[in-house]
């Protein structure tokens, strides 16, 4: 009886300590959010998440040749990168440098198709899209909530396709290749969700 009572007391103390730690973490998270807001504003968080999302999409694009064989999935990453690309990189790649890269890509594709590697197809398509996109897409939609919503729809679609291909939600987190792919897709969702919340607020 005494041992059972002691075990119950120990469990109760442990539960209280865990609750206390969780509360401390919540307070720390609130302080971190408030300090980040004061220092850089919410815009800093948005631009940071935009960088993370863009590199996550590029990472998934690189993984495509080794882990995924779905053309639809791969092609959807291109418009996602287009709408989520940080402005600095977007203007650099859509400027004179991007025009030269696009020109070389077209020349290689037209006159040396046998020597044009398959893995350059999608990066080349992205550069072409960045260079030739009308202002309506490259400025109006990219800088509005519509572009963010497109990113969210693409991220949700890719996530459910990946879960289905993995054989379920649990498998997508337990398989060797599934974890990296799942985490990459989740990073795709963080930026549009954050941006839409800010738009609503």
């Amino acid at each position: 009886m005494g041992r059972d009572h002691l075990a119950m007391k120990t469990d109760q103390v442990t539960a209280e300590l865990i609750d206390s730690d969780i509360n401390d973490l919540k307070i720390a998270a609130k302080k971190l959010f408030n300090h980040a807001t004061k220092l850089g504003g919410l815009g800093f968080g948005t631009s940071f998440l935009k960088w993370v999302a863009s590199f996550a999409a590029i990472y998934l694009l690189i993984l495509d040749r080794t882990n995924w064989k779905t053309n639809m999935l791969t092609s959807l990453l291109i418009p996602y990168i287009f709408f989520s690309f940080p402005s600095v990189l977007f203007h650099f790649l859509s400027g004179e440098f991007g025009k030269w890269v696009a020109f070389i890509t077209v020349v290689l594709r037209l006159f040396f198709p046998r020597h044009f590697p398959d893995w350059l197809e999608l990066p080349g398509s992205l550069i072409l899209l960045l260079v030739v996109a009308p202002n309506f897409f490259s400025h109006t939609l990219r800088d509005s909530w519509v572009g963010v919503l497109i990113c969210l729809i693409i991220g949700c679609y890719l996530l459910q396709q990946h879960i289905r291909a993995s054989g379920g939600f649990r498998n997508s987190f337990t398989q060797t290749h599934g974890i990296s792919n799942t985490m990459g897709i989740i990073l795709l969702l963080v930026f549009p969700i954050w941006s839409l919340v800010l738009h609503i607020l």
Side-chain angles (χ1 to χ4, degrees):
M1 185 70 181
R3 286 182 180 177
D4 291 341
H5 182 68
L6 184 63
M8 285 177 64
K9 264 196 163 183
T10 305
D11 291 341
Q12 186 178 357
V13 170
T14 304
E16 288 175 359
L17 286 172
I18 291 172
D19 288 340
S20 174
D21 289 342
I22 289 172
N23 288 331
D24 289 343
L25 284 173
K26 286 179 181 177
I27 293 167
K30 286 180 182 177
K31 284 182 179 178
L32 180 63
F33 179 79
N34 291 333
H35 291 166
T37 304
K38 288 176 184 176
L39 288 173
L42 294 174
F44 172 77
T46 305
S47 61
F48 173 74
L49 291 176
K50 187 178 280 193
W51 280 88
V52 171
S54 296
F55 282 109
I58 293 168
Y59 166 73
L60 292 173
L61 203 58
I62 293 168
L63 282 184
D64 172 68
R65 294 300 171 186
T66 55
N67 296 334
W68 282 326
K69 301 298 178 186
T70 310
N71 291 329
M72 182 181 294
L73 175 67
T74 306
S75 60
L76 281 174
L77 288 169
I78 300 301
Y80 184 95
I81 295 170
F82 176 83
F83 284 110
S84 67
F85 229 30
S87 297
V88 176
L89 291 178
F90 185 88
H91 293 307
F92 175 71
L93 291 176
S94 61
E96 199 64 27
F97 175 80
K99 289 176 183 176
W100 274 102
V101 174
F103 175 75
I104 293 168
T105 302
V106 171
V107 169
L108 287 174
R109 193 73 183 89
L110 280 175
F111 300 108
F112 306 98
R114 292 180 182 176
H115 300 286
F116 192 81
D118 291 339
W119 59 269
L120 270 180
E121 287 281 352
L122 288 172
S125 300
L126 176 61
I127 294 293
L128 285 171
L129 186 63
L130 292 173
V131 171
V132 304
N135 283 335
F136 176 71
F137 287 98
S138 59
H139 297 292
T140 307
L141 287 186
R142 248 179 59 84
D143 297 331
S144 71
W145 63 270
V146 178
V148 175
L149 184 62
I150 291 171
C151 289
L152 180 61
I153 292 170
I154 291 172
C156 291
Y157 177 76
L158 296 183
L159 182 61
Q160 67 92 17
Q161 284 290 97
H162 173 59
I163 290 172
R164 185 181 296 176
S166 300
F169 185 78
R170 181 179 294 179
N171 288 341
S172 65
F173 280 97
T174 54
Q175 291 177 354
T176 308
H177 297 307
I179 297 172
S180 58
N181 295 342
T182 306
M183 294 308 295
I185 297 175
I186 288 173
L187 287 176
L188 296 185
L189 291 170
V190 176
F191 157 65
I193 290 172
W194 172 268
S195 297
L196 285 176
V197 168
L198 290 185
H199 273 95
I200 293 169
L201 294 177

